[in-house]
Amino acid sequence: RGAASVSVRDYGALGNGANDDTAAFQTAINALPETGGTVTVPAGDYVIDPTVNVRLRSKMHLQLAEGARLLAKTNNAERAYVLMVYKVSDVEISGGQIIGDRDTHLGTTGEWGHGIMVRGSSRVTVRDIHLSNCWGDGISIGGALVTGAPTIPSNDVIVANVVSTNNRRQGLTIGCSTNVKVYDSEFSNSNGIAPQ
């Protein structure tokens, strides 16, 4: 990725635990040049609407500072993802925390409220991050469905030094993927809905 660096704060993110910062995150990501770069997230509590989700792009690093927390906005959706890594490549996510909405979720059905969703992407690293209280999985890695064509698998995904705990469905799901490597991580206390 390129050397450009932008902060979500420069694009309107407040990190005050009340303001919906989803659009500000997306605007910061979209502001990176074609060569990519780093989007920094200073310490703070950032409310992210998982029904919209923050979509990462190719050639980028989403770098959360210590003390940066992404808080899933309360919703009733069966499928909702805080961070979406969809059909992109050369992506890194590091630092901070993602906290799901399982304690305040308004619906009773579904099992797909994930912290990080990786689908049909290659060369992805998720490291040094704490995920908890998701309605579904902390992290889900798998293929991207394409109408009338074969599923696009994820490939070359590394998960390192991650704690994923107290999620409703799974700490980590690995579906249609190749070359997934997991190091020095904890997946614990999954509870609420099968396969848990």
Side-chain angles (χ1 to χ4, degrees), residues 81 83 85 93 98 111 113-119 124-132 134 136-142 157-165 167-175 180-182 185-187 190:
Y81 320 112
L83 299 181
V85 184
I93 301 166
I98 296 177
E111 58 192 71
H114 306 334
I116 298 175
M117 177 78 143
V118 180
R119 287 289 181 270
V124 176
T125 298
V126 179
R127 65 174 175 85
D128 307 318
I129 191 168
H130 189 283
L131 304 105
S132 63
C134 293
D137 301 344
I139 303 171
S140 180
I141 302 166
V157 180
I158 294 175
V159 176
N161 195 33
V162 162
V163 175
S164 184
T165 188
N167 299 296
R168 184 167 164 267
R169 183 179 182 273
Q170 295 277 79
L172 170 66
T173 292
I174 302 173
V180 178
K181 298 178 181 180
V182 182
S185 295
E186 172 188 327
F187 306 97
S190 298

Short mmCIF file of all heavy atoms in Angstrom, two decimals, residues 81 83 85 93 98 111 113-119 124-132 134 136-142 157-165 167-175 180-182 185-187 190:
data_model
loop_
_atom_site.label_atom_id
_atom_site.label_comp_id
_atom_site.label_asym_id
_atom_site.label_seq_id
_atom_site.Cartn_x
_atom_site.Cartn_y
_atom_site.Cartn_z
N TYR A 81 -22.71 -6.25 9.82
CA TYR A 81 -21.27 -6.42 10.04
C TYR A 81 -20.62 -5.07 10.29
O TYR A 81 -20.81 -4.14 9.52
CB TYR A 81 -20.62 -7.08 8.81
CG TYR A 81 -21.49 -8.17 8.20
CD1 TYR A 81 -22.07 -8.01 6.94
CD2 TYR A 81 -21.77 -9.33 8.91
CE1 TYR A 81 -22.88 -8.99 6.39
CE2 TYR A 81 -22.59 -10.31 8.38
CZ TYR A 81 -23.14 -10.14 7.12
OH TYR A 81 -23.95 -11.10 6.59
N LEU A 83 -17.24 -4.27 10.28
CA LEU A 83 -16.26 -4.07 9.22
C LEU A 83 -16.46 -5.12 8.14
O LEU A 83 -16.55 -6.31 8.44
CB LEU A 83 -14.83 -4.17 9.76
CG LEU A 83 -14.41 -3.17 10.83
CD1 LEU A 83 -12.95 -3.42 11.24
CD2 LEU A 83 -14.59 -1.73 10.36
N VAL A 85 -14.89 -6.69 4.60
CA VAL A 85 -13.75 -6.81 3.68
C VAL A 85 -14.25 -7.69 2.55
O VAL A 85 -14.23 -8.92 2.63
CB VAL A 85 -12.53 -7.44 4.40
CG1 VAL A 85 -11.33 -7.47 3.47
CG2 VAL A 85 -12.20 -6.66 5.68
N ILE A 93 -6.06 -4.90 9.27
CA ILE A 93 -6.85 -4.32 10.36
C ILE A 93 -6.08 -4.60 11.64
O ILE A 93 -5.74 -5.76 11.92
CB ILE A 93 -8.25 -4.95 10.44
CG1 ILE A 93 -9.02 -4.78 9.14
CG2 ILE A 93 -9.04 -4.37 11.62
CD1 ILE A 93 -10.26 -5.66 9.04
N ILE A 98 -13.49 -4.13 18.93
CA ILE A 98 -14.82 -4.07 18.32
C ILE A 98 -15.76 -4.71 19.31
O ILE A 98 -15.54 -5.84 19.76
CB ILE A 98 -14.87 -4.81 16.98
CG1 ILE A 98 -13.97 -4.13 15.94
CG2 ILE A 98 -16.32 -4.87 16.46
CD1 ILE A 98 -13.90 -4.84 14.60
N GLU A 111 -28.11 -15.00 13.13
CA GLU A 111 -26.87 -15.35 13.83
C GLU A 111 -25.67 -14.78 13.11
O GLU A 111 -24.57 -15.27 13.25
CB GLU A 111 -26.76 -16.88 13.91
CG GLU A 111 -26.78 -17.54 12.54
CD GLU A 111 -26.96 -19.05 12.61
OE1 GLU A 111 -28.06 -19.50 12.95
OE2 GLU A 111 -25.98 -19.76 12.31
N GLY A 113 -24.50 -11.37 13.01
CA GLY A 113 -24.07 -10.03 13.40
C GLY A 113 -22.60 -10.05 13.76
O GLY A 113 -22.23 -10.18 14.93
N HIS A 114 -21.72 -9.96 12.75
CA HIS A 114 -20.29 -10.19 12.94
C HIS A 114 -19.51 -8.89 13.19
O HIS A 114 -19.88 -7.82 12.71
CB HIS A 114 -19.69 -10.88 11.71
CG HIS A 114 -20.38 -12.15 11.31
ND1 HIS A 114 -21.08 -12.95 12.20
CD2 HIS A 114 -20.48 -12.77 10.11
CE1 HIS A 114 -21.55 -14.01 11.57
NE2 HIS A 114 -21.22 -13.91 10.29
N GLY A 115 -18.39 -9.03 13.89
CA GLY A 115 -17.49 -7.90 14.07
C GLY A 115 -16.72 -7.59 12.79
O GLY A 115 -16.72 -6.47 12.30
N ILE A 116 -16.06 -8.63 12.24
CA ILE A 116 -15.31 -8.49 10.99
C ILE A 116 -15.77 -9.57 10.03
O ILE A 116 -15.74 -10.76 10.36
CB ILE A 116 -13.79 -8.60 11.21
CG1 ILE A 116 -13.29 -7.49 12.15
CG2 ILE A 116 -13.04 -8.55 9.88
CD1 ILE A 116 -11.82 -7.62 12.53
N MET A 117 -16.17 -9.17 8.83
CA MET A 117 -16.63 -10.09 7.80
C MET A 117 -15.66 -10.01 6.62
O MET A 117 -15.49 -8.93 6.03
CB MET A 117 -18.04 -9.68 7.35
CG MET A 117 -18.61 -10.51 6.23
SD MET A 117 -19.20 -12.07 6.83
CE MET A 117 -20.65 -12.27 5.80
N VAL A 118 -15.01 -11.13 6.30
CA VAL A 118 -14.08 -11.20 5.17
C VAL A 118 -14.69 -12.15 4.15
O VAL A 118 -14.92 -13.32 4.46
CB VAL A 118 -12.69 -11.70 5.62
CG1 VAL A 118 -11.74 -11.78 4.43
CG2 VAL A 118 -12.11 -10.82 6.72
N ARG A 119 -14.93 -11.65 2.94
CA ARG A 119 -15.54 -12.47 1.89
C ARG A 119 -14.84 -12.24 0.55
O ARG A 119 -14.73 -11.10 0.09
CB ARG A 119 -17.03 -12.14 1.73
CG ARG A 119 -17.91 -12.64 2.86
CD ARG A 119 -18.03 -14.15 2.82
NE ARG A 119 -18.87 -14.70 3.87
CZ ARG A 119 -18.45 -15.07 5.07
NH1 ARG A 119 -17.19 -14.91 5.40
NH2 ARG A 119 -19.29 -15.61 5.94
N VAL A 124 -5.17 -10.67 3.46
CA VAL A 124 -5.82 -9.91 4.53
C VAL A 124 -5.17 -10.30 5.86
O VAL A 124 -4.98 -11.48 6.15
CB VAL A 124 -7.33 -10.22 4.59
CG1 VAL A 124 -7.98 -9.49 5.77
CG2 VAL A 124 -8.00 -9.84 3.27
N THR A 125 -4.84 -9.30 6.68
CA THR A 125 -4.30 -9.54 8.01
C THR A 125 -5.19 -8.86 9.04
O THR A 125 -5.52 -7.67 8.90
CB THR A 125 -2.86 -8.97 8.13
OG1 THR A 125 -2.02 -9.65 7.20
CG2 THR A 125 -2.31 -9.17 9.54
N VAL A 126 -5.56 -9.62 10.07
CA VAL A 126 -6.29 -9.09 11.21
C VAL A 126 -5.44 -9.39 12.44
O VAL A 126 -5.16 -10.55 12.74
CB VAL A 126 -7.68 -9.75 11.36
CG1 VAL A 126 -8.40 -9.18 12.58
CG2 VAL A 126 -8.51 -9.55 10.10
N ARG A 127 -5.00 -8.34 13.13
CA ARG A 127 -4.06 -8.59 14.23
C ARG A 127 -4.26 -7.61 15.39
O ARG A 127 -4.80 -6.51 15.22
CB ARG A 127 -2.62 -8.51 13.73
CG ARG A 127 -2.21 -7.13 13.23
CD ARG A 127 -0.73 -7.06 12.85
NE ARG A 127 -0.36 -5.78 12.28
CZ ARG A 127 -0.03 -4.71 13.00
NH1 ARG A 127 -0.04 -4.77 14.32
NH2 ARG A 127 0.29 -3.57 12.39
N ASP A 128 -3.85 -8.07 16.56
CA ASP A 128 -3.75 -7.20 17.73
C ASP A 128 -5.07 -6.51 18.06
O ASP A 128 -5.09 -5.31 18.39
CB ASP A 128 -2.64 -6.14 17.55
CG ASP A 128 -1.31 -6.77 17.18
OD1 ASP A 128 -0.96 -7.80 17.77
OD2 ASP A 128 -0.62 -6.23 16.29
N ILE A 129 -6.18 -7.25 17.97
CA ILE A 129 -7.49 -6.64 18.17
C ILE A 129 -8.33 -7.51 19.11
O ILE A 129 -8.16 -8.73 19.16
CB ILE A 129 -8.19 -6.40 16.82
CG1 ILE A 129 -9.44 -5.53 16.98
CG2 ILE A 129 -8.50 -7.71 16.12
CD1 ILE A 129 -10.01 -5.02 15.65
N HIS A 130 -9.20 -6.88 19.86
CA HIS A 130 -10.09 -7.55 20.80
C HIS A 130 -11.52 -7.39 20.30
O HIS A 130 -11.99 -6.27 20.08
CB HIS A 130 -9.94 -6.91 22.18
CG HIS A 130 -10.64 -7.64 23.29
ND1 HIS A 130 -11.99 -7.56 23.49
CD2 HIS A 130 -10.16 -8.46 24.25
CE1 HIS A 130 -12.33 -8.30 24.54
NE2 HIS A 130 -11.23 -8.86 25.01
N LEU A 131 -12.21 -8.53 20.11
CA LEU A 131 -13.59 -8.51 19.63
C LEU A 131 -14.48 -9.19 20.67
O LEU A 131 -14.11 -10.26 21.19
CB LEU A 131 -13.72 -9.25 18.30
CG LEU A 131 -12.81 -8.77 17.17
CD1 LEU A 131 -11.67 -9.75 16.96
CD2 LEU A 131 -13.58 -8.59 15.89
N SER A 132 -15.63 -8.62 20.95
CA SER A 132 -16.51 -9.22 21.96
C SER A 132 -17.96 -8.82 21.73
O SER A 132 -18.27 -7.84 21.06
CB SER A 132 -16.08 -8.78 23.36
OG SER A 132 -16.21 -7.37 23.52
N CYS A 134 -20.51 -9.86 20.04
CA CYS A 134 -21.17 -9.76 18.74
C CYS A 134 -22.41 -10.64 18.69
O CYS A 134 -22.45 -11.72 19.30
CB CYS A 134 -20.20 -10.16 17.63
SG CYS A 134 -18.82 -9.00 17.43
N GLY A 136 -23.32 -12.32 16.24
CA GLY A 136 -22.93 -13.52 15.51
C GLY A 136 -21.51 -13.92 15.86
O GLY A 136 -21.21 -14.32 16.98
N ASP A 137 -20.59 -13.80 14.88
CA ASP A 137 -19.19 -14.17 15.05
C ASP A 137 -18.33 -12.94 15.34
O ASP A 137 -18.62 -11.85 14.85
CB ASP A 137 -18.64 -14.81 13.77
CG ASP A 137 -19.40 -16.05 13.33
OD1 ASP A 137 -20.16 -16.61 14.15
OD2 ASP A 137 -19.23 -16.45 12.17
N GLY A 138 -17.24 -13.18 16.07
CA GLY A 138 -16.24 -12.12 16.17
C GLY A 138 -15.64 -11.85 14.80
O GLY A 138 -15.63 -10.72 14.32
N ILE A 139 -15.14 -12.93 14.15
CA ILE A 139 -14.57 -12.84 12.81
C ILE A 139 -15.15 -13.96 11.96
O ILE A 139 -15.23 -15.11 12.41
CB ILE A 139 -13.03 -13.00 12.84
CG1 ILE A 139 -12.38 -11.96 13.75
CG2 ILE A 139 -12.44 -12.91 11.44
CD1 ILE A 139 -10.89 -12.19 13.99
N SER A 140 -15.55 -13.65 10.73
CA SER A 140 -16.01 -14.65 9.79
C SER A 140 -15.24 -14.49 8.49
O SER A 140 -15.17 -13.40 7.94
CB SER A 140 -17.51 -14.50 9.52
OG SER A 140 -17.96 -15.47 8.60
N ILE A 141 -14.64 -15.60 8.02
CA ILE A 141 -13.83 -15.59 6.80
C ILE A 141 -14.45 -16.60 5.84
O ILE A 141 -14.71 -17.74 6.23
CB ILE A 141 -12.38 -15.99 7.09
CG1 ILE A 141 -11.75 -15.05 8.12
CG2 ILE A 141 -11.55 -16.01 5.81
CD1 ILE A 141 -10.45 -15.55 8.71
N GLY A 142 -14.70 -16.19 4.60
CA GLY A 142 -15.31 -17.13 3.66
C GLY A 142 -15.34 -16.59 2.25
O GLY A 142 -14.65 -15.62 1.90
N VAL A 157 -5.14 -15.35 4.33
CA VAL A 157 -5.66 -14.56 5.44
C VAL A 157 -4.90 -14.93 6.71
O VAL A 157 -4.74 -16.12 7.02
CB VAL A 157 -7.17 -14.79 5.65
CG1 VAL A 157 -7.69 -13.96 6.82
CG2 VAL A 157 -7.94 -14.47 4.37
N ILE A 158 -4.42 -13.93 7.42
CA ILE A 158 -3.69 -14.15 8.67
C ILE A 158 -4.47 -13.50 9.81
O ILE A 158 -4.87 -12.34 9.72
CB ILE A 158 -2.27 -13.56 8.61
CG1 ILE A 158 -1.43 -14.32 7.57
CG2 ILE A 158 -1.60 -13.60 9.98
CD1 ILE A 158 -0.05 -13.74 7.34
N VAL A 159 -4.67 -14.27 10.87
CA VAL A 159 -5.26 -13.76 12.12
C VAL A 159 -4.21 -13.97 13.20
O VAL A 159 -3.75 -15.09 13.41
CB VAL A 159 -6.55 -14.53 12.46
CG1 VAL A 159 -7.11 -14.06 13.80
CG2 VAL A 159 -7.59 -14.37 11.35
N ALA A 160 -3.79 -12.89 13.86
CA ALA A 160 -2.69 -13.00 14.82
C ALA A 160 -2.95 -12.12 16.04
O ALA A 160 -3.37 -10.96 15.91
CB ALA A 160 -1.38 -12.59 14.15
N ASN A 161 -2.67 -12.68 17.20
CA ASN A 161 -2.77 -11.95 18.47
C ASN A 161 -4.14 -11.30 18.63
O ASN A 161 -4.26 -10.12 18.97
CB ASN A 161 -1.65 -10.89 18.58
CG ASN A 161 -1.50 -10.37 19.99
OD1 ASN A 161 -1.72 -11.09 20.96
ND2 ASN A 161 -1.15 -9.10 20.11
N VAL A 162 -5.17 -12.11 18.39
CA VAL A 162 -6.56 -11.64 18.49
C VAL A 162 -7.21 -12.31 19.70
O VAL A 162 -6.96 -13.48 19.99
CB VAL A 162 -7.33 -12.00 17.19
CG1 VAL A 162 -8.82 -11.95 17.39
CG2 VAL A 162 -6.90 -11.07 16.07
N VAL A 163 -8.05 -11.56 20.40
CA VAL A 163 -8.95 -12.14 21.40
C VAL A 163 -10.37 -11.93 20.90
O VAL A 163 -10.77 -10.80 20.62
CB VAL A 163 -8.77 -11.49 22.79
CG1 VAL A 163 -9.81 -12.03 23.77
CG2 VAL A 163 -7.36 -11.75 23.32
N SER A 164 -11.12 -13.02 20.79
CA SER A 164 -12.51 -12.95 20.33
C SER A 164 -13.34 -13.72 21.35
O SER A 164 -13.28 -14.95 21.42
CB SER A 164 -12.62 -13.56 18.93
OG SER A 164 -13.92 -13.45 18.43
N THR A 165 -14.12 -13.00 22.15
CA THR A 165 -14.75 -13.62 23.31
C THR A 165 -16.19 -13.17 23.51
O THR A 165 -16.56 -12.05 23.13
CB THR A 165 -13.91 -13.34 24.58
OG1 THR A 165 -14.42 -14.10 25.67
CG2 THR A 165 -13.90 -11.86 24.94
N ASN A 167 -18.90 -13.94 22.09
CA ASN A 167 -19.73 -13.72 20.92
C ASN A 167 -20.82 -14.78 20.88
O ASN A 167 -20.67 -15.88 21.40
CB ASN A 167 -18.86 -13.75 19.65
CG ASN A 167 -17.81 -12.66 19.69
OD1 ASN A 167 -18.13 -11.49 19.70
ND2 ASN A 167 -16.54 -13.05 19.74
N ARG A 168 -21.95 -14.44 20.28
CA ARG A 168 -23.14 -15.29 20.38
C ARG A 168 -23.02 -16.58 19.57
O ARG A 168 -23.52 -17.61 19.99
CB ARG A 168 -24.37 -14.48 19.94
CG ARG A 168 -25.69 -15.19 20.07
CD ARG A 168 -26.83 -14.20 19.91
NE ARG A 168 -28.09 -14.88 19.66
CZ ARG A 168 -28.59 -15.14 18.47
NH1 ARG A 168 -27.92 -14.75 17.38
NH2 ARG A 168 -29.75 -15.76 18.34
N ARG A 169 -22.36 -16.54 18.43
CA ARG A 169 -22.31 -17.72 17.56
C ARG A 169 -20.93 -18.39 17.56
O ARG A 169 -20.80 -19.54 17.88
CB ARG A 169 -22.71 -17.34 16.13
CG ARG A 169 -22.77 -18.51 15.17
CD ARG A 169 -23.22 -18.06 13.78
NE ARG A 169 -23.31 -19.18 12.87
CZ ARG A 169 -22.30 -19.66 12.15
NH1 ARG A 169 -21.10 -19.11 12.26
NH2 ARG A 169 -22.47 -20.69 11.35
N GLN A 170 -19.89 -17.65 17.17
CA GLN A 170 -18.54 -18.21 17.08
C GLN A 170 -17.52 -17.10 17.36
O GLN A 170 -17.75 -15.93 17.05
CB GLN A 170 -18.25 -18.74 15.67
CG GLN A 170 -19.08 -19.91 15.23
CD GLN A 170 -18.55 -21.24 15.74
OE1 GLN A 170 -18.75 -21.59 16.89
NE2 GLN A 170 -17.86 -21.96 14.89
N GLY A 171 -16.36 -17.53 17.88
CA GLY A 171 -15.25 -16.60 17.95
C GLY A 171 -14.65 -16.36 16.58
O GLY A 171 -14.27 -15.25 16.22
N LEU A 172 -14.55 -17.46 15.79
CA LEU A 172 -13.99 -17.41 14.44
C LEU A 172 -14.67 -18.47 13.59
O LEU A 172 -14.75 -19.63 13.99
CB LEU A 172 -12.48 -17.68 14.48
CG LEU A 172 -11.76 -17.90 13.14
CD1 LEU A 172 -11.78 -16.63 12.31
CD2 LEU A 172 -10.33 -18.37 13.38
N THR A 173 -15.15 -18.08 12.42
CA THR A 173 -15.66 -19.02 11.44
C THR A 173 -14.77 -18.95 10.20
O THR A 173 -14.42 -17.86 9.76
CB THR A 173 -17.11 -18.69 11.04
OG1 THR A 173 -17.97 -18.93 12.15
CG2 THR A 173 -17.58 -19.53 9.86
N ILE A 174 -14.40 -20.12 9.66
CA ILE A 174 -13.65 -20.18 8.41
C ILE A 174 -14.47 -21.01 7.43
O ILE A 174 -14.70 -22.20 7.67
CB ILE A 174 -12.26 -20.80 8.61
CG1 ILE A 174 -11.47 -20.00 9.64
CG2 ILE A 174 -11.52 -20.86 7.28
CD1 ILE A 174 -10.15 -20.62 10.03
N GLY A 175 -14.91 -20.38 6.36
CA GLY A 175 -15.69 -21.05 5.33
C GLY A 175 -14.85 -21.24 4.08
O GLY A 175 -13.70 -21.68 4.15
N VAL A 180 -5.49 -19.96 5.20
CA VAL A 180 -5.82 -19.17 6.39
C VAL A 180 -4.90 -19.62 7.52
O VAL A 180 -4.80 -20.82 7.81
CB VAL A 180 -7.29 -19.34 6.80
CG1 VAL A 180 -7.58 -18.54 8.07
CG2 VAL A 180 -8.22 -18.90 5.68
N LYS A 181 -4.22 -18.68 8.15
CA LYS A 181 -3.30 -19.00 9.24
C LYS A 181 -3.69 -18.19 10.47
O LYS A 181 -3.92 -16.99 10.38
CB LYS A 181 -1.86 -18.69 8.83
CG LYS A 181 -1.40 -19.51 7.62
CD LYS A 181 0.00 -19.17 7.20
CE LYS A 181 0.40 -20.01 5.97
NZ LYS A 181 1.77 -19.71 5.51
N VAL A 182 -3.75 -18.89 11.60
CA VAL A 182 -4.16 -18.27 12.86
C VAL A 182 -3.06 -18.49 13.89
O VAL A 182 -2.64 -19.62 14.12
CB VAL A 182 -5.49 -18.87 13.37
CG1 VAL A 182 -5.93 -18.18 14.66
CG2 VAL A 182 -6.58 -18.76 12.31
N SER A 185 -3.77 -16.64 19.32
CA SER A 185 -5.06 -15.99 19.50
C SER A 185 -5.96 -16.77 20.45
O SER A 185 -5.73 -17.96 20.69
CB SER A 185 -5.77 -15.82 18.15
OG SER A 185 -5.06 -14.93 17.32
N GLU A 186 -6.96 -16.11 20.99
CA GLU A 186 -7.92 -16.72 21.91
C GLU A 186 -9.33 -16.57 21.36
O GLU A 186 -9.74 -15.47 20.99
CB GLU A 186 -7.84 -16.03 23.28
CG GLU A 186 -8.94 -16.47 24.25
CD GLU A 186 -8.98 -15.64 25.51
OE1 GLU A 186 -7.90 -15.20 25.98
OE2 GLU A 186 -10.08 -15.40 26.04
N PHE A 187 -10.05 -17.70 21.31
CA PHE A 187 -11.46 -17.70 20.92
C PHE A 187 -12.19 -18.40 22.06
O PHE A 187 -12.04 -19.61 22.26
CB PHE A 187 -11.64 -18.42 19.58
CG PHE A 187 -10.76 -17.84 18.51
CD1 PHE A 187 -9.54 -18.42 18.19
CD2 PHE A 187 -11.13 -16.68 17.85
CE1 PHE A 187 -8.71 -17.86 17.23
CE2 PHE A 187 -10.31 -16.12 16.89
CZ PHE A 187 -9.10 -16.71 16.57
N SER A 190 -17.86 -18.58 23.52
CA SER A 190 -18.92 -18.42 22.51
C SER A 190 -20.19 -19.04 23.08
O SER A 190 -20.18 -20.19 23.52
CB SER A 190 -18.52 -19.10 21.20
OG SER A 190 -17.36 -18.52 20.67
#
